[in-house]
Amino acid sequence: MVDHVKEWAAFSAHGHTSRDENGDEKTDYTRWRILDDEGRQEWRYLETDDELEKWPQHVYDKHYLGLDTGLPDFPKIQTPLEAAQAASSFLSQLQLPSGSWGSESAGPLMLLPCAIIGLYVTNSPIPPAYAVEIKRYLFSRQRSEDGGWGWHVEGESSAVGTVLNYTVVRLLGASPDDPRLVRARALLHSYGGATHAPGIAKFWLSALGVMKWECVNPFLPEFWLAPESDPTHPSKWYIQTRTNLASLSYVWSKKFVYAGDAVTRQLRSELYTQQPYESIDFAAHRTSLAEVDNIWPKWWFVRMMNWVTVNLYIPYIRGGDTVAKAEQKAWEMLEYEDKNSEYIGLSVISNAANLIACMIHDGEDSEGVRMHRKVLLRHFWMTADGMACNVSDGTQSWDTALAVQALAAAGAVEQTVHQPTLARAHAFLEDHQLRENVPDQDKCYRQHRKGGWPWSTRHQGYVISECAAEALKAVLDLQEVYRLNLDISSSERSTKIPTERLQDCVDCLLRLQNDTGGFGIWDKRKGSHKLSWLEMGEFAGKSMVTLDFVECTAEAISAITCFSKFHPEYRPNEVKDARERGIAFIKQSQHSSGGWYAQWGICFSYGGMFALEALALAGETYSNSDSSRRGCDFLVSKQKEDGGWGESFLSLRENDWIQHEKSQVIQTAWACLGLIHAKYPNKETIKRGIQLIMSRQQSKGQWLQEQPEGGIEYGVMTFANYKLFWPLRALGEYVRIHGNEELRDGD
């Protein structure tokens, strides 16, 4: 068994830590580096001076760590073109050797504990520097008003966030007598203790051995034994839930429990209001749930089926042969997942649970365990506040596609200094296009992916509709619109992506369109909307049905429209039909107020930008389209007195624009871009937004992080590069349409 405490103590004893302003241990930030292995990104801490000398810290390392980059200051910027040039320079300096950019996509606080508990219970090494910085990060996200944690960084305290993150900081060495943990424990007890946490928390606590499995609603692997014609078969579920089921159901069915140590024995006495631990009737608390976490109450039928399963099926009907077949089918599904994603998985949850499953099935020294231990660390991301956990292994392809479009809009293709940056970015996109479908895709219920692009890298391999769309647009920008010289030098070289491969991307996108005309994120919908009746997310919903999203639809339609302008001969009838159905979906999704709700960004400003772009590419702008006009008028009605736009993440929950107390640079850029796409006639409105963007620009050409800008259900994610390329793109488009003029007088 790994002695984590001993390893971490030795690390601190060697002088690698100091104390931050809160008195917590902090590593030496000058020793952190991003390892970039063909786009696979992982943070490394250099413990020896010899390593430091051989591996100097780069500008991009310093930037993502929140350190001074050492880049020169620009003279005071007066015009949007100067602002765009400064931003282009800064963004180019952050490019990694693979051609991508560092990719933070953190925010949901209930994901990090899955990774740590998965590593802990499999006796996997947790690097000491990681342990130090994860503790710092979690304490920095603890809510000051009550001492708890939400399920995401902006959320109110909850039982799921509090119990899981309390548990993690204790596993990583924090004392139960720390005043912050005393407050957190009191809050948890006010909810009813760990027995009143949602099911996903109970799962991980049971695997850790600080709760008994009787407290967990069943994760039956038998779902996989149903005929595929069954409307509730997992193949018809939302892909995240489907993928997690294979992993979680296997571990649940095996009733895996960590052997235990001094910390887990202490946690048994800390997490509950009832004591001693052995006296707790865990089975009686299987349905117990704190009201604060009961955001998506289970339908009565789901509650009844859970009761029937626990009280009748498991004790009286569930036979050994059925269990063996179900576990084998779940194992086959997670084996497919490991093989087809190089053990990265679709999410942190499936990756961590697969690690446990591999140890159960093949032993601690198996290849599966070794690989999961290695790749699980790629989900962690260093920030100025410590080490966060991304929702996936990064956003490399997504960020690269958007960075290319921003740089191109700002005129970087014509600037010799930026052409190598764009050539490297093109090479990255060329390398990470998904060239083949996964083997046995029908058996493992995977979507056709050939020609598409993933969120992160080809190694992870899941196609995403909007990533494929934006990457296709980026490639078209470089190859067709601006005709970038891809053979700049022997060291800065890319290969033109053949038309046939771009056609593959169009094929991939067309296959993703649903019968509604809309697009989801990973899959084409296979099940009924009635699957939502089986919702089991509790604190986070929308977990059963593959939904349509306005932003995904708009991006996909925009991409195939752009492609058809250069290649009108390719599948013209199918492209025309997809475009018309997509535009119809966008119009049908428009709220009576004129706005569009988006899920993956906050929220109406994000949706409005993409919807107005798609309408404009279809020939509908402010002057000739009622939908475009209403969309523009809606955005203009939300402009603040300072000229900017600011929208709270609460818009995601309220299904209506909720004003943020301050203008946000990224949302201002989104609103300006939407108005520019739609050819909004009042230049002054857009100009005021551009002035706000310029007023927030820093001396080296960058912008500072403001509120999280990404959405995930009702929660948030931080996309660290959004603040760099969205304002840049807005500046570039403004100059292209409205010209360059001095806008900084009176600052």
Side-chain angles (χ1 to χ4, degrees), residues 99-111:
S100 64
W101 276 261
S103 50
E104 177 186 349
S105 56
L109 288 173
M110 41 72 62
L111 295 180

Side-chain angles (χ1 to χ4, degrees), residues 437-706:
N437 290 318
V438 299
D440 299 320
Q441 69 175 28
D442 293 335
K443 292 182 180 179
C444 55
Y445 313 114
R446 284 288 294 273
Q447 176 71 31
H448 175 103
R449 70 175 189 176
K450 182 180 178 182
W453 271 271
W455 213 25
S456 58
T457 68
R458 59 178 166 80
H459 307 288
Q460 192 258 6
Y462 275 92
V463 68
I464 287 185
S465 60
E466 55 182 348
C467 297
E470 297 299 341
L472 177 59
K473 288 163 62 181
V475 171
L476 289 171
D477 269 353
L478 296 181
Q479 294 188 180
E480 304 288 354
V481 178
Y482 299 103
R483 297 189 177 275
L484 175 71
N485 176 13
L486 298 175
D487 191 11
I488 302 215
S489 69
S490 58
S491 60
E492 313 293 350
R493 176 178 295 167
S494 186
T495 302
K496 184 176 181 178
I497 300 177
T499 300
E500 291 76 14
R501 284 172 55 186
L502 301 184
Q503 291 171 345
D504 288 342
C505 185
V506 173
D507 295 342
C508 179
L509 288 170
L510 292 175
R511 287 173 178 264
L512 282 164
Q513 190 170 29
N514 291 314
D515 55 3
T516 57
F519 287 73
I521 185 78
W522 281 283
D523 270 350
K524 183 173 183 176
R525 184 168 47 254
K526 301 178 180 67
S528 167
H529 280 282
K530 293 179 181 178
L531 281 171
S532 62
W533 295 348
L534 303 182
E535 183 64 62
M536 294 174 279
E538 298 173 326
F539 65 94
K542 304 179 184 179
S543 66
M544 292 300 296
V545 179
T546 299
L547 299 174
D548 300 306
F549 301 108
V550 165
E551 62 271 41
C552 297
T553 304
E555 290 170 279
I557 294 305
S558 295
I560 62 175
T561 301
C562 290
F563 177 84
S564 67
K565 288 183 178 179
F566 295 102
H567 302 282
E569 75 288 349
Y570 188 70
R571 301 183 67 177
N573 294 333
E574 293 97 327
V575 168
K576 180 176 181 290
D577 176 67
R579 183 171 61 242
E580 290 176 350
R581 293 194 298 123
I583 292 297
F585 174 82
I586 291 169
K587 290 182 177 180
Q588 292 164 7
S589 302
Q590 190 171 20
H591 286 209
S592 59
S593 63
W596 284 278
Y597 180 99
Q599 175 62 75
W600 301 101
I602 301 172
C603 167
F604 287 89
S605 51
Y606 191 68
M609 171 185 64
F610 285 120
L612 290 169
E613 179 186 26
L615 288 171
L617 287 169
E620 297 194 32
T621 59
Y622 189 89
S623 65
N624 64 5
S625 167
D626 176 68
S627 185
S628 178
R629 190 159 46 249
R630 291 193 298 117
C632 289
D633 291 344
F634 172 80
L635 287 177
V636 172
S637 74
K638 304 303 180 184
Q639 190 172 27
K640 291 180 174 290
E641 290 185 5
D642 62 6
W645 281 262
E647 185 181 5
S648 168
F649 80 94
L650 295 173
S651 296
L652 294 165
R653 185 182 70 191
E654 300 302 325
N655 199 26
D656 192 12
W657 182 295
I658 304 298
Q659 288 282 9
H660 195 281
E661 59 268 22
K662 295 181 180 179
S663 291
Q664 303 291 305
V665 165
I666 293 170
Q667 291 167 346
T668 300
W670 290 342
C672 288
L673 282 166
L675 295 174
I676 291 170
H677 292 319
K679 299 181 181 179
Y680 184 69
N682 188 342
K683 172 186 172 182
E684 186 63 27
T685 298
I686 304 171
K687 177 181 175 181
R688 292 178 61 224
I690 296 297
Q691 286 175 314
L692 185 282
I693 291 171
M694 292 176 62
S695 74
R696 301 270 183 93
Q697 191 174 25
Q698 303 299 297
S699 62
K700 301 181 190 306
Q702 82 280 32
W703 287 269
L704 301 179
Q705 183 66 47
E706 297 176 337

Side-chain angles (χ1 to χ4, degrees), residues 41-43 103-106 111-112 115 130 134 343-352 372-382 387-394 456 460:
Q41 299 170 7
E42 180 182 339
W43 282 93
S103 50
E104 177 186 349
S105 56
L111 295 180
L112 188 153
Y130 278 48
I134 289 170
Y343 295 90
I344 299 167
L346 183 59
S347 72
V348 181
I349 295 175
S350 62
N351 194 328
H372 278 294
R373 284 172 172 170
K374 178 180 179 180
V375 302
L376 194 50
L377 297 180
R378 295 186 199 142
H379 288 82
F380 293 101
W381 189 259
M382 276 298 294
M387 180 165 270
C389 184
N390 286 337
V391 299
S392 181
D393 64 320
S456 58
Q460 192 258 6

